[in-house]
Amino acid sequence: MGKIKTGAYNPLPVAPIVLVGANVNGKPNYMAAGFVNGVNVKPAILYVSLNKRHYTPKGIIENGTFSLNIPCADYVIETDYCGLVSGRSADKSGIFTTFYGELETAPMIAEFPITCECRYTGQKVEFEMDTVYFGEVIQVHVNSDLLNEEQKIDILKANPIYYSGIENRYRTLGADMGPAWRIGREYTPKQASATQESVESRYRCAIVERPAQPALTIRSRAPLMALARTIGESMAAIAQYAGRQGYIPAGPPFVAYHGFDGREQDVEIGFPFNSGVEGKTSIQVSAIPGGKSAAYHYIGPYDRLPEIRVGLQQWLNTNGYTPVGVIYENYLSDPQRTAPENLETEILVPLLVTDGVAPN
Ligand SMILES: Cc1cc2nc3c(=O)[nH]c(=O)nc-3n(C[C@H](O)[C@H](O)[C@H](O)COP(=O)(O)O)c2cc1C
């Protein structure tokens, strides 16, 4: 694959968007910022990089304090407004309910689920257009309903906004790719010395054509953290109902992934049956669509499936296939009796068929 030089710019694909707050001339002022991140763990030091013409830096210098306010997606319009309009020409103090914490001069936004107050360390780095200010985090304020039993922030509930600079759009969180600081343990020297051919072969799959199949399914929406439980409960409900009716499944249970709206995954959970079945309440008669699909046989723990789905779609795209429609996963093993590393799953990605032929 060839590389193309596309110029000198910031290629980081997404940045969390915050509103930087400071009291300027005695009034709270908030501005949007994407040039913000942490630089030291203990003490917790953050930086914000602010254009010299902005109004907010005046307040940081005046008070020696500022705040970072992490918006949830519900406030994307107000957040963008604070990035369009300067406090020099418009009073932004009434957009939100302001509260103060220990520092008393770092204004924070009550409507936002996570805010933090910072003491300006007095350290700054000057560039031509922007000045980078460093601040020590004094306190982080979190909505109580965001904390789980371990008192950790449930980031899906916080639903933060990301700025995708390359597209100039706002986005929310995407797929869960697996546990950080842990998934790398699966890296093996074999992968390190892999040739291009073996990397290519990692997602090699069979192209299959299957007829449509009747099914009994439950359609649900669930946040990613609750997905496994939703799937398990729905499968149990369908199995119990089918048992009572005397219906015998024609294959393993499956889940169809209909879409993710940034908060919840839309899934259809079911079992295939031969025709003649009837549904009841939330258990619907549905059909697994027929046609050409890429079939990938995956052996390993279920928590890696989101990552495998993404890798498989990328592999298909770069190998001349056009994935279309809804991905189906057939769970071939019984998780009650199989070790996670031995669980077998068939992932089916429907393919676009041009002139009756999918590329092979
Ligand atoms: C998505 C987005 C990200 C921004 N990121 C920054 C940033 O990191 N640094 C900066 O100086 N301005 C940034 N801006 C621009 C300021 O938020 C904007 O100029 C604002 O009006 C300045 O407000 P103030 O003059 O009241 O301080 C951003 C604007 C948007 C919409």
Side-chain angles (χ1 to χ4, degrees):
M1 192 198 314
K3 295 269 186 197
I4 296 170
K5 292 179 185 167
T6 64
Y9 53 89
N10 175 359
L12 297 178
V14 284
I17 282 295
V18 304
L19 291 188
V20 179
N23 274 355
V24 191
N25 297 333
K27 271 192 168 180
N29 189 66
Y30 300 103
M31 64 159 276
F35 281 170
V36 43
N37 218 319
V39 285
N40 195 59
V41 179
K42 252 192 182 149
I45 309 280
L46 300 167
Y47 77 84
V48 287
S49 178
L50 307 183
N51 190 290
K52 293 182 199 306
R53 286 175 311 179
H54 292 344
Y55 193 56
T56 310
K58 197 169 172 294
I60 298 179
I61 301 297
E62 258 174 33
N63 302 291
T65 60
F66 64 93
S67 67
L68 296 189
N69 302 272
I70 299 163
C72 62
D74 297 344
Y75 285 95
V76 68
I77 290 173
E78 290 83 351
T79 299
D80 194 56
Y81 176 79
C82 291
L84 289 169
V85 173
S86 173
R88 245 180 253 291
S89 51
D91 181 356
K92 295 190 260 182
S93 66
I95 303 172
F96 306 105
T97 315
T98 293
F99 75 100
Y100 293 92
E102 293 164 29
L103 291 173
E104 295 177 359
T105 52
M108 287 177 281
I109 298 175
E111 288 84 351
F112 286 11
I114 306 171
T115 63
C116 78
E117 45 182 328
C118 301
R119 182 182 290 121
Y120 171 44
T121 64
Q123 294 158 296
K124 59 181 180 170
V125 180
E126 303 269 358
F127 290 95
E128 204 173 315
M129 291 172 68
D130 296 339
T131 304
V132 182
Y133 298 89
F134 294 92
E136 179 179 345
V137 178
I138 300 301
Q139 193 58 258
V140 180
H141 303 257
V142 181
N143 282 7
S144 55
D145 65 340
L146 243 56
L147 297 176
N148 62 21
E149 282 155 13
E150 293 150 6
Q151 296 301 297
K152 289 206 172 126
I153 295 173
D154 178 340
I155 197 66
L156 290 178
K157 277 193 191 159
N159 202 14
I161 303 171
Y162 294 87
Y163 172 63
S164 165
I166 290 169
E167 311 167 285
N168 200 31
R169 295 194 78 80
Y170 295 111
R171 289 186 171 275
T172 51
L173 273 169
D176 180 351
M177 301 286 289
W181 303 92
R182 219 176 75 201
I183 197 161
R185 290 183 201 157
E186 290 169 27
Y187 174 86
T188 62
K190 189 166 158 255
Q191 284 177 344
S193 63
T195 60
Q196 189 60 24
E197 171 53 31
S198 63
V199 171
E200 284 289 302
S201 66
R202 197 179 309 159
Y203 286 107
R204 189 161 290 157
C205 37
I207 305 302
V208 297
E209 186 159 13
R210 293 189 185 156
Q213 168 87 48
L216 285 177
T217 63
I218 295 178
R219 185 93 178 241
S220 280
R221 305 182 76 86
L224 296 179
M225 282 174 77
L227 196 57
R229 201 185 63 218
T230 304
I231 292 173
E233 286 172 358
S234 301
M235 281 179 186
I238 299 171
Q240 207 176 38
Y241 168 74
R244 277 201 307 266
Q245 302 298 314
Y247 299 154
I248 298 170
F254 66 88
V255 172
Y257 290 86
H258 284 274
F260 180 66
D261 64 5
R263 247 176 214 272
E264 291 181 321
Q265 178 77 54
D266 176 1
V267 280
E268 191 180 1
I269 300 140
F271 285 84
F273 289 91
N274 293 321
S275 50
V277 288
E278 282 176 18
K280 191 187 161 198
T281 57
S282 63
I283 302 174
Q284 305 281 325
V285 177
S286 177
I288 304 168
K292 231 166 205 170
S293 303
Y296 179 70
H297 191 97
Y298 161 70
I299 303 177
Y302 290 154
D303 63 4
R304 281 199 62 206
L305 279 167
E307 170 205 343
I308 301 286
R309 281 197 295 273
V310 172
L312 177 56
Q313 279 178 297
Q314 280 167 355
W315 185 92
L316 288 166
N317 278 321
T318 52
N319 284 277
Y321 298 99
T322 309
V324 281
V326 172
I327 295 185
Y328 278 73
E329 279 173 7
N330 293 325
Y331 305 104
L332 309 176
S333 311
D334 178 352
Q336 311 289 347
R337 293 159 205 261
T338 315
E341 61 277 18
N342 296 328
L343 289 168
E344 294 187 44
T345 307
E346 182 187 49
I347 307 173
L348 287 166
V349 185
L351 297 177
L352 180 73
V353 180
T354 322
D355 299 331
V357 189
N360 50 36

